[in-house]
Amino acid sequence: MAETITKRNPAEEIQALQDTIYVIGGKWKLPIINSLCNGNKRFREIQRSIPQITTRMLSKELKEMEMNKIIVRKVYPDSPVLVEYETTPYCKTFGTIIQAMIDWGKEHRKMIKED
């Protein structure tokens, strides 16, 4: 039985990698996703869980992540107004990617410490 070989499209692969890096790349997006997945929902909870992130940067990143449908912002009309952030089902599709990155990072740290 002949095996079907799919011809790779380098330009399409590069575009897909760039899109992925745009959505989850940078210094803060993965720590924000991790914070949300660990149960932090409110702005200040998220900020306190991520050392050195500024209010301005967290706000900017949350807006970008909402635009990319990674998180949702929920506003509850209590007094005072309550705002919470949650990951979307779409964000959860990153789970295996993020876990693989965590595993790789741990192994990399061990490798560079061996010298």
Side-chain angles (χ1 to χ4, degrees):
M1 188 170 189
E3 188 177 318
T4 305
I5 298 174
T6 305
K7 186 172 172 136
R8 293 174 61 178
N9 181 337
E12 182 180 57
E13 290 176 359
I14 289 169
Q15 183 64 56
L17 286 168
Q18 288 173 328
D19 289 347
T20 303
I21 291 168
Y22 173 77
V23 173
I24 65 169
K27 184 175 180 178
W28 303 113
K29 287 188 179 107
L30 289 175
I32 292 168
I33 290 171
N34 190 59
S35 178
L36 289 165
C37 290
N38 285 326
N40 298 303
K41 294 183 174 211
R42 297 183 185 170
F43 189 93
R44 292 285 177 227
E45 292 172 342
I46 299 165
Q47 187 175 24
R48 282 189 210 109
S49 73
I50 305 171
Q52 300 178 337
I53 193 167
T54 64
T55 300
R56 182 174 171 223
M57 183 56 69
L58 179 56
S59 179
K60 175 187 170 291
E61 296 288 358
L62 288 169
K63 285 175 186 169
E64 277 187 26
M65 293 168 73
E66 187 178 10
M67 181 188 74
N68 282 298
K69 302 185 185 326
I70 301 300
I71 63 168
V72 290
R73 180 178 185 263
K74 294 184 176 184
V75 180
Y76 299 96
D78 296 339
S79 182
V81 173
L82 174 64
V83 178
E84 291 185 340
Y85 297 90
E86 293 179 4
T87 57
T88 62
Y90 180 55
C91 179
K92 290 173 177 54
T93 64
F94 287 131
T96 54
I97 296 169
I98 292 170
Q99 189 58 55
M101 291 173 75
I102 290 168
D103 295 344
W104 186 89
K106 287 177 180 178
E107 289 302 313
H108 175 68
R109 188 163 294 274
K110 285 180 196 173
M111 187 193 72
I112 62 174
K113 284 185 176 181
E114 289 176 2
D115 290 342

